[in-house]
Structure formats: C-alpha cells, structure tokens
Amino acid sequence: MQHHDPVDAREGAGEATSAALKSRLTAAENVLATLSVDLDGELRFATGLLALTDRRLLARETDGRWREWPVGQLAPEPLELQAGDHAGVGTLDLVGPDGNRARWRYTLAQQAAALQLIKRFAQLQSRMTPTALAEPDDPRAAEPDAPPPSTWVLLRLGRFARPYRKQLIAGFLLTLASTAATLVPPYLTIPLMDDILIPFQNGQQIPVGKVVLFLAALLAAALTGWGLGWARTYLLALVSERIGADLRTTTYEHLLTLPLDYFGGKRTGDLMSRIGSETDRINVFLSLHALDFLTDVLMIVMTAVILVSINPLLAVVTLVPLPFIAWMIHVVRDRLRTGFEKIDRVWSEVTNVLADTIPGIRVVKAFAQEKREADRFHAANAYNLQVNDKLNKTWSLFTPSVSLLTEIGLLVVWGFGIWQVARGRITVGVLTAFIAYIGRFYTRLDSMSRIVSVTQKAAAGAKRIFDILDHVSNVPEPANPVKVDRVTGRIVMKDVGFRYGSRAVIRDLDLAIEPGEMIGLVGHSGSGKSTLVNLICRFYDVTDGAILVDGTDIRRFAVADYRRHVGLVLQEPFLFFGTIAQNIAYGKPDATREEIVAAARAAHAHDFILRLAHGYDSLVGERGQGLSGGERQRISIARALLIDPRILILDEATSAVDTETEKEIQKALDNLVKGRTTIAIAHRLSTLRKADRLVVMDRGEIVEVGPHDALMAKEGAYWRLYQAQLRQVDDDPTAGSMATERLGVAVALSNHAAHPAGEA
C-alpha cells in the first residue's frame, strides 16, 4: 500500500494548477499577478488560483471549476477587489455595482500576493499600464512595492538625542579639537623640509634646537589628538548606547499600546527583528559610523581650507575627482537604500520561519514535518543570500571605483606639483605637505563613501522602527479620563455596531446585563460572540453606538484603569516563563504569598501545585510547557481570581479538557463567578444551563434572549442549536457518553447553586 505525502500532493496540485493556467492563456495574453487560494469556503486547506492578466481575471476554484471576468477596457461594468482579514484568515471579494460577484479565502501567508493582485487590478480598472509583469510561477513576484527609505529618516532620531544634547555638543567640540590636532603634523613638514632637510642637503648644519622643537610639537599634537579622540569616542559611545536603549524601550512600549488587529496582520519574527536587530543596527551607526562621518566631514572641510591657504591653484587640482565621487555616491545610494529595505523584509521572513517553528515544534514533530520546515528555512535563507549577492555586486564595484578615482587624483597632484616646483612657484616642502594633506583628504573621502552603505542600512532600520511608532492605536486614550475606583458591573449596549475593514460584524445590538448576572453567549461560529467580548474588553472600539459600564461609556475610561476591573479566562490559557506564583500574580505583581495561595485554593489548583518539585516556586516552561491543559486553565482562573474583577469573561474555558478535569475547572469557575457580572461563551450548550440568561447570536445580531427552559419551550434558534448538538452526539456514541456525563455535571452544579448545603 502506498502512502503519499500531503505536502508533496499539495505542491503537485499547485504545479498542475499552474500548467492548467498556461493552457488557458491566449498567445498575446500576459499574466500580471497571481494569488494562491489555499482555503475553501469552509476554511479547509485546498488548492485554487487567482490570476490577473491584461485582459481578464481568471479563477480556478478549489473544486476545479474555472471562472473569469473581463477587466480594464474589456470590462462591461466597473469591478473592484476588496480584501479583509480576521483571525488569521484573509478574504478577497470581487464586488460589482449590484454586490458581491465572488469570494475567495486564504491564509495570511498569501497576504502580500493578495495586496499585489489588488494593486494591479486597480491599475487595470483605471486604464493604467502596470510597470512590470510577473510570471505566474514566481512566488516572489507578488512582493508589495514599498517606497525606499530616505536617508532623512535618520534625522527623526533627533527626538531621542534631545535629552543628551549637552553631551552631544561636548562631543562635537572634542571632535573638532581632535581633528584640528591631527592636522598639525602635515603643516609642520613644510619648515622641516624647507628650513632643515633641504638646507642640510646643500651643505648647511642642522639646527638641533629647532629640530627638537618641531619633534616636540609633533609629539604634543599626537598626544593631544589621542587624548581628545579617546574622550570624544567614549562620550559619544555612552550617548549612542542610551539613545539606542531609549529607542528600544519607546518602540516596545508603543507596541504594547497598539490594538489587537495590528498584531493580527504582523508576523512575530518581523516585530522581534525590528525591535532587536534594527535598533542594534541604528545603535552601531550612532556609536561608530556617525562619529566617523562627522570626523570625515570636519577633516575634509578643514583640510580643504588649509590647502587653499597654502596654494589655491594646487588645491583646485586636488578637488578634480570630487564631483565624480559625489555623483557615484548619489547613484549607488539610491540602489543601496532600496536594496537594504528589501534585505530587511527578506531577513524578517527568515526570522518568521524560526518564530513559527520553534514555538510549534511539538506540532512539527507530531506530523513528522521536520524536512518540510527545514526546506522552508532553506528557501528563505537562499532567497536572503540571493538578495544580498545582488546588492554586494553593486557595492563591490563602487568601492574600488572610488579608490581608483582617489589614486588618479593623487597622480594628478603629483604631476602638477612637480611642474610647479620645476617652475619655482612652490617649494618641495609645500608639495610634501600637500601630498600629506591630500593623503588624509582622499582617505577621508574614501571612508565617507564606505559609510554610505552603513547609513542606508541604518535608514532602512529606522524606517521600519518608525513604521511602528507612527502607527496610531484605534483604541485611543481619552483626553480627560473618568476615574474608575469601583465597578458594580452593570453593562448596557446601545445600538452597538462594529465593522472589521469593510465587513460589518456586529449590527444594531442592544443588551443590558445587570450586576452579578451570568450571561451565556451562544451561536454558530462567526456569529459575533468573540467580537462582542472583545468590544466589552475594549480590545476594539465600537464603530456605532456605545457600551456603558455603570452608566459611563467605556471609551471615557483610561484603558488600563478599566481593564483592571475585567477578568479574562481564555480557551487556551497563556502562561509566561517563570514560577507558578509569578504567573498567578501576573495581574497583581505586588500580591503577597498568602493572597496567591488563597487564589490557588479557590481555583482548585493548590493541591497539584504542592505536588510539584518546588511548589509555588516551580518554573513553568514557555507557554506553560510541563503542565497539563487543565492545570494551566486552573492557574489562569487563579490569576483572574487574584485581581478580583467585577466583570468576568469566560471564553470556552472548559472546552479543551477531559471530563474529570472539567469537573475540577467547573468547581473553580463556580468560585470565580460568585458576585461578578459574567459573560460566558461556550459551544457546548450544556455548560451554560446555569446561566441566568442565554443570548443567541446570528450574523452579528441578537436573535433570542432568555433562560434555557424558556428558549427550549420557544423552539426557536436556541432550540435548533440544541437539537443539532444532540443529533451530533447521537451520531458519535463516544461523544454521547462524554456529553451525557458533562450534562449531568452541569445539572448537578446547577442544582447545587440553586439549593446550597442545608437547603436541599
């Protein structure tokens, strides 16, 4: 029996799709952009293709059917491509005057290709000619065109340098003084040659005192230059390190203020690369190369002034290569800044593979996909190498060319200087000093040309940093926030609406929740339950209407102050690397050990914590490795209990555990919900039987509200959901026994809540 690798099968399907596309193209038809559609309508992995040509939009659906729409001048009516994304799934809609014509879904790995396709489509629809054509089989053809970073972006770092302006001024003065000190020795060669060495060759005696004086002056200039150079290097290095640290801190702090939808469109590896390697690159530029650049500029200016003062005509000859070098720097700079920006994007793809694979190593090994991930890394690394090789080809030609021009300039000065000496217009000492100064002049000019590369790298890094800093949160802080001392937990939603991009997710929603009431949110996937919870937590802001807590619009509260009164227990609890105690006290870092233990006891976590090797001081691995799902969930419940929130959000808190663990978690949840306004999401309707009211949602709207028994008697939307789950249970005997047991637990707990001990 043969076994087929699903990845190989998918790649084979992709090759077959590309071949089928080529067979459908006419002789003169050019493909402008393509998009691999890797999800079907039910969000299962599948193989499809969108191809935009200069005549039509071709679509091979995931079921194998081909569809097409004329575009550009051939289109009978205006069409538009609209993109959206939510929870890692991208959506592309083809919209006509009377509504949607087609919809495709894809993973966000295809987002760059989708954006490129939309751009080309818009160009065609506006009768514009695309600037470049992309081959359908080139996976890199769909990279988005980003404007190259301008060197002037580095000036924006001035806001981080402002607190250290006194040190920077002192550093500039030290640089000026040290540069001046290094220019003294060549000037002293004039009297050494003309007054001492040449007269000695003509038979005169060497004046020892004058020689000692000149040598002492040379030594003093050297020691002064060394001391001043050390002081300015050390001072400016300290300042640049602090500027780099401030830049990292500011970027990270701003990143934490950005809304969830920003992170939904970014890769972890890319953000890590920006805050880590990009700030390091800027720091190296500020601490080393910016200082060298300043020294080079001062050296060139001061040397030019000295050369002109000695002999203006010879100085003009010295500057002959300068326009050619400046022109080369201008041309190469444009290529370098584009190339380094591309290198940054490509390198972020390498780090993205690492950021995907290392946290998900368990899944990689479970499905034996080590070779596949190694191939992904190899492909990303090979492309990174290819882009670097292309840039190095330009750079390797530029550097020797500058050196050649400086050598030619030196040769011209020698020739012209000898001619001037022969005609008696300058002395040998003057020519010797000129050659010494020119050597320094051209050395600094060559050094400046080399700094072009480093400057463009720093500019590319600064642009990527400021892309984060320039992003404004769509959950803004109020100008005059209302103080939140205590919350009773009454939540009122008035005409709430929310749009995600161009798609309406919540529409005209009205709901009032009383303090201490438990509300269960039910509905099909995509009905808007999680979005509603995110709005209450203020992870997003409503686009219409308002959400009031204790009669105040939550947008009038400071975000951090408001969220301190909201507890969140997720379906997949996230634990940080650290001790058990640190994870429980995450929301209240100053909590005492007694408070931590009390929260763990209430969450039914105390017993299993004591069984660990170091109890509450036991280290939790990254993302909670080393603990079971139920243990992680109970720690997250203890974390929520410790902050004593008045509003509690439970998002599928018991859906991913076994029956026995669910019993323990349910006991912990019973302690957690007491006296709190609770909003619980659950796909298993039996777990919500003890809710005071159930809110049934469908397509972003509330269709039913009421207790379980009343909604069942109504035989409406909730009754249909319940019956559908029962039929699903009937089809699966194993699931049926588990569901029956869970239902029994829920009923028992519900009865216990209704009849406490002593009242039964």
Side-chain angles (χ1 to χ4, degrees):
M1 180 178 178
Q2 289 183 328
H3 296 277
H4 300 283
D5 187 346
V7 176
D8 291 339
R10 194 181 301 169
E11 292 175 349
E15 294 172 358
T17 300
S18 297
L21 170 63
K22 291 179 180 178
S23 68
R24 300 185 73 88
L25 299 177
T26 61
E29 191 172 11
N30 293 316
V31 175
L32 308 179
T34 61
L35 169 64
S36 296
V37 179
D38 50 5
L39 296 175
D40 64 13
E42 298 179 357
L43 302 183
R44 294 176 298 193
F45 286 107
T47 302
L49 181 71
L50 273 178
L52 178 66
T53 74
D54 50 3
R55 302 180 182 181
R56 52 186 172 160
L57 179 67
L58 287 164
R60 186 184 189 276
E61 306 294 352
T62 54
D63 58 4
R65 293 181 298 111
W66 282 93
R67 302 167 69 189
E68 66 179 75
W69 297 265
V71 296
Q73 297 179 354
L74 301 176
E77 57 186 358
L79 296 173
E80 183 183 2
L81 281 177
Q82 297 178 352
D85 63 88
H86 182 67
V89 175
T91 303
L92 190 65
D93 290 317
L94 181 65
V95 181
D98 54 350
N100 250 28
R101 298 301 174 81
R103 169 171 288 183
W104 301 275
R105 290 185 172 90
Y106 53 89
T107 62
L108 289 185
Q110 312 297 330
Q111 183 75 346
L115 295 177
Q116 184 76 350
L117 180 70
I118 292 171
K119 176 184 174 182
R120 300 295 192 202
F121 188 91
Q123 289 174 340
L124 273 182
Q125 292 300 92
S126 59
R127 311 303 197 263
M128 292 174 61
T129 303
T131 56
L133 301 180
E135 289 299 325
D137 293 328
D138 184 3
R140 299 181 297 271
E143 288 183 357
D145 296 332
S150 170
T151 311
W152 297 108
V153 73
L154 291 173
L155 295 180
R156 296 185 63 185
L157 296 172
R159 63 183 260 207
F160 297 96
R162 195 172 297 119
Y164 309 100
R165 54 185 176 274
K166 292 181 180 178
Q167 295 92 324
L168 289 172
I169 292 173
F172 174 77
L173 295 176
L174 287 170
T175 302
L176 187 64
S178 64
T179 304
T182 58
L183 291 174
V184 170
Y187 200 85
L188 293 177
T189 60
I190 297 176
L192 279 172
M193 294 290 296
D194 293 341
D195 299 343
I196 296 175
L197 294 179
I198 292 177
F200 174 73
Q201 285 185 331
N202 294 330
Q204 297 182 18
Q205 293 294 322
I206 294 178
V208 177
K210 190 179 285 188
V211 170
V212 171
L213 180 64
F214 284 139
L215 292 180
L218 287 172
L219 178 61
L223 292 175
T224 302
W226 171 81
L228 293 171
W230 171 83
R232 57 106 191 203
T233 302
Y234 179 71
L235 177 63
L236 293 178
L238 289 179
V239 172
S240 64
E241 288 292 341
R242 280 151 182 77
I243 292 174
D246 292 345
L247 181 62
R248 276 191 295 271
T249 301
T250 302
T251 305
Y252 181 66
E253 288 177 348
H254 183 75
L255 193 66
L256 292 178
T257 67
L258 295 180
L260 289 180
D261 57 352
Y262 178 83
F263 296 92
K266 300 293 180 182
R267 302 286 296 274
T268 303
D270 179 51
L271 294 176
M272 291 171 60
S273 173
R274 294 191 194 198
I275 295 178
S277 60
E278 301 298 357
T279 51
D280 283 344
R281 180 183 292 176
I282 293 170
N283 197 32
V284 170
F285 169 76
L286 293 175
S287 61
L288 298 176
H289 303 292
L291 180 61
D292 291 341
F293 181 77
L294 178 62
T295 305
D296 293 340
V297 170
L298 289 174
M299 180 71 78
I300 288 173
V301 172
M302 296 171 72
T303 303
V305 170
I306 293 173
L307 291 177
V308 172
S309 67
I310 294 174
N311 190 298
L313 185 59
L314 196 57
V316 171
V317 175
T318 302
L319 301 176
V320 167
L322 192 59
F324 299 99
I325 294 175
W327 175 78
M328 288 185 62
I329 290 175
H330 173 71
V331 172
V332 171
R333 183 190 63 184
D334 291 340
R335 296 185 181 181
L336 287 179
R337 66 183 184 181
T338 304
F340 284 127
E341 171 73 3
K342 190 171 185 179
I343 284 175
D344 287 340
R345 295 201 307 267
V346 172
W347 178 248
S348 70
E349 285 302 314
V350 177
T351 57
N352 282 335
V353 175
L354 295 174
D356 287 343
T357 306
I358 294 175
I361 191 65
R362 184 186 296 270
V363 177
V364 174
K365 290 184 174 295
F367 289 90
Q369 294 300 305
E370 291 91 344
K371 184 179 183 303
R372 176 189 178 186
E373 296 301 333
D375 290 342
R376 277 183 65 204
F377 186 83
H378 175 75
N381 204 23
Y383 187 36
N384 175 63
L385 184 63
Q386 177 185 338
V387 173
N388 275 278
D389 286 345
K390 184 177 180 180
L391 189 65
N392 288 333
K393 188 183 298 182
T394 301
W395 182 245
S396 62
L397 178 64
F398 169 72
T399 306
S401 299
V402 172
S403 299
L404 176 63
L405 286 173
T406 57
E407 292 294 334
I408 292 174
L410 188 61
L411 179 63
V412 171
V413 171
W414 267 112
F416 187 77
I418 292 172
W419 180 69
Q420 290 283 80
V421 171
R423 299 189 64 178
R425 294 184 177 178
I426 62 173
T427 64
V428 174
V430 170
L431 178 60
T432 304
F434 244 86
I435 297 300
Y437 278 122
I438 287 169
R440 299 187 179 214
F441 182 87
Y442 283 146
T443 299
R444 293 299 181 176
L445 199 61
D446 185 59
S447 175
M448 281 186 66
S449 69
R450 296 173 189 274
I451 288 176
V452 171
S453 168
V454 181
T455 304
Q456 296 310 314
K457 284 183 180 180
K463 177 180 179 294
R464 284 162 57 77
I465 290 293
F466 284 111
D467 282 344
I468 295 177
L469 294 176
D470 292 341
H471 195 93
V472 179
S473 174
N474 55 18
V475 182
E477 293 282 358
N480 298 302
V482 176
K483 288 190 176 181
V484 192
D485 295 325
R486 183 164 179 80
V487 169
T488 62
R490 187 172 194 272
I491 304 173
V492 177
M493 301 172 214
K494 293 182 177 180
D495 300 323
V496 168
F498 177 72
R499 302 183 68 85
Y500 197 89
S502 60
R503 183 164 58 95
V505 183
I506 301 289
R507 305 177 187 85
D508 302 325
L509 189 145
D510 291 287
L511 180 65
I513 305 173
E514 298 303 322
E517 186 178 16
M518 181 176 180
I519 296 293
L521 290 181
V522 299
H524 294 291
S525 295
S527 60
K529 303 185 300 296
S530 295
T531 302
L532 183 59
V533 164
N534 287 335
L535 292 174
I536 294 172
C537 293
R538 212 185 166 206
F539 294 144
Y540 307 102
D541 270 345
V542 297
T543 51
D544 298 299
I547 298 177
L548 310 179
V549 170
D550 293 351
T552 303
D553 192 325
I554 61 174
R555 289 171 291 189
R556 297 186 59 195
F557 297 133
V559 176
D561 286 346
Y562 169 67
R563 287 182 184 156
R564 288 192 185 97
H565 299 276
V566 180
L568 185 62
V569 179
L570 300 170
Q571 178 181 1
E572 289 292 334
F574 188 95
L575 300 185
F576 296 90
F577 183 87
T579 66
I580 297 282
Q582 288 170 340
N583 272 279
I584 293 176
Y586 185 76
K588 189 179 178 182
D590 57 348
T592 64
R593 181 54 64 97
E594 290 75 16
E595 291 175 317
I596 293 172
V597 172
R601 286 183 183 277
H604 290 261
H606 181 68
D607 291 341
F608 85 78
I609 292 174
L610 291 183
R611 289 196 295 268
L612 298 175
H614 302 286
Y616 284 85
D617 295 318
S618 300
L619 279 176
V620 176
E622 189 175 3
R623 298 173 186 264
Q625 294 293 325
L627 298 177
S628 70
E631 290 170 342
R632 290 198 297 270
Q633 190 64 282
R634 278 177 278 173
I635 289 176
S636 74
I637 293 172
R639 182 166 59 194
L641 274 166
L642 187 61
I643 66 172
D644 192 22
R646 306 314 303 163
I647 299 172
L648 180 65
I649 308 293
L650 304 177
D651 189 356
E652 292 287 349
T654 62
S655 65
V657 295
D658 58 77
T659 306
E660 290 300 320
T661 304
E662 184 181 7
K663 292 178 183 177
E664 292 295 320
I665 294 176
Q666 200 65 53
K667 294 176 185 176
L669 290 176
D670 287 343
N671 291 331
L672 183 58
V673 302
K674 287 178 182 176
R676 309 178 202 279
T677 303
T678 304
I679 301 171
I681 299 176
H683 287 294
R684 285 202 299 264
L685 303 182
S686 59
T687 62
L688 294 176
R689 288 177 61 92
K690 59 179 180 287
D692 297 306
R693 284 187 297 161
L694 299 175
V695 176
V696 186
M697 297 188 65
D698 185 33
R699 299 182 183 181
E701 298 177 341
I702 294 177
V703 294
E704 285 183 347
V705 179
H708 168 78
D709 294 337
L711 293 180
M712 288 296 291
K714 216 173 151 183
E715 295 192 1
Y718 178 76
W719 179 84
R720 288 191 294 272
L721 282 171
Y722 203 88
Q723 294 301 317
Q725 283 201 2
L726 287 179
R727 284 195 297 272
Q728 185 179 359
V729 168
D730 291 339
D731 292 339
D732 186 349
T734 305
S737 61
M738 292 177 64
T740 301
E741 186 173 354
R742 284 192 175 104
L743 185 59
V745 171
V747 172
L749 289 172
S750 178
N751 291 334
H752 176 72
H755 305 285
E759 297 181 12

